[in-house]
Amino acid sequence: MRKGYTGCLTVCLAFVLLSMSMLGGCAKRDIEEGRDDMSGLEWQSVSSVDQEEAAEPVVFEGKDMEGNAVSSDIFGNAKITMVNVWATYCNPCLREMPELGELANEYEEGDFQLIGIISDVQEGAAQEDLDAAAKLIEQTKADYSHLLLNESLYLALLMEVRAVPTTFFINEDGVVLDVVIGARDKTAWKEKIDGFLEEEQQE
């Protein structure tokens, strides 16, 4: 039974990481050739998701970089949660993370929180991989919780992810409000966050 579970997890993760690595290579070439870091990953807001599906709350269990258990209950800590899926090889991801770190500290705790998911570092990864990810987080000053990829997170959020960065906006009930593909600057993210908070206050 355990062998079958591990095999399924390996196949699922391999598929996701393969898709992401191909796109990450394109983004890297864009930067090396001197183009803007967002040119390889033009952002788009995905708001055409089936409303009945979108109403289903996200449920997961996982661990953060420090090995602490984290579950979907965390969404109840803030009106809006921004979940940023990134990868250690993704230049656009790393270039937007310093401003994400700033955003994480500019809102009241009960209003907004930011969580990262490291798409290419799994639970149980080698210490050198964990150390490399931790170093990038420190260098980019992305001082917010970062979760390690596992099957639960994959099934809950990453099954349809085909590019990094991909960012989810989730309300306190765990319902996905929107999905944004690609990197954006701080001003654009702040406008989106403020819009969601305003909508939450009106309800």
Side-chain angles (χ1 to χ4, degrees), residues 1-202:
M1 181 71 177
R2 181 67 183 173
K3 183 177 180 181
Y5 168 86
T6 304
C8 176
L9 176 58
T10 301
V11 171
C12 290
L13 295 179
F15 178 78
V16 171
L17 297 178
L18 176 60
S19 300
M20 290 181 172
S21 63
M22 289 191 298
L23 186 137
C26 293
K28 184 177 181 180
R29 283 199 300 274
D30 287 335
I31 294 170
E32 289 172 347
E33 292 171 9
R35 292 193 290 272
D36 185 86
D37 66 308
M38 296 184 193
S39 62
L41 281 174
E42 292 186 4
W43 69 267
Q44 59 179 349
S45 179
V46 182
S47 54
S48 58
V49 182
D50 183 273
Q51 292 303 309
E52 291 186 6
E53 289 184 14
E56 292 294 323
V58 173
V59 178
F60 75 88
E61 293 182 351
K63 291 184 178 180
D64 63 18
M65 286 287 292
E66 288 72 43
N68 301 310
V70 180
S71 76
S72 46
D73 290 343
I74 196 171
F75 298 133
N77 294 341
K79 294 175 183 176
I80 297 295
T81 299
M82 180 177 179
V83 179
N84 179 253
V85 182
W86 64 282
T88 59
Y89 57 76
C90 170
N91 286 339
C93 302
L94 298 174
R95 291 185 66 165
E96 75 171 347
M97 282 166 63
E99 291 191 336
L100 294 184
E102 293 175 10
L103 282 172
N105 294 310
E106 289 183 4
Y107 289 87
E108 293 293 331
E109 189 172 329
D111 287 338
F112 174 78
Q113 63 182 344
L114 208 156
I115 298 170
I117 297 178
I118 314 174
S119 63
D120 61 332
V121 181
Q122 303 174 33
E123 279 186 22
Q127 189 59 47
E128 61 186 81
D129 294 329
L130 295 171
D131 290 343
K135 185 176 181 180
L136 290 172
I137 292 169
E138 181 180 4
Q139 289 174 340
T140 58
K141 299 181 180 179
D143 187 24
Y144 45 88
S145 180
H146 295 267
L147 308 184
L148 302 172
L149 184 62
N150 64 7
E151 186 181 37
S152 181
L153 274 170
Y154 168 74
L155 294 175
L157 278 175
L158 274 70
M159 282 187 71
E160 302 301 324
V161 170
R162 295 292 180 270
V164 285
T166 290
T167 301
F168 297 84
F169 286 92
I170 301 174
N171 69 14
E172 58 190 337
D173 297 319
V175 175
V176 176
L177 303 175
D178 198 7
V179 185
V180 178
I181 301 170
R184 301 180 76 171
D185 62 23
K186 181 179 177 180
T187 300
W189 283 132
K190 189 171 178 59
E191 181 179 339
K192 200 162 188 65
I193 294 164
D194 291 345
F196 283 126
L197 287 174
E198 186 175 339
E199 289 176 10
E200 289 294 313
Q201 290 173 354
Q202 291 175 353

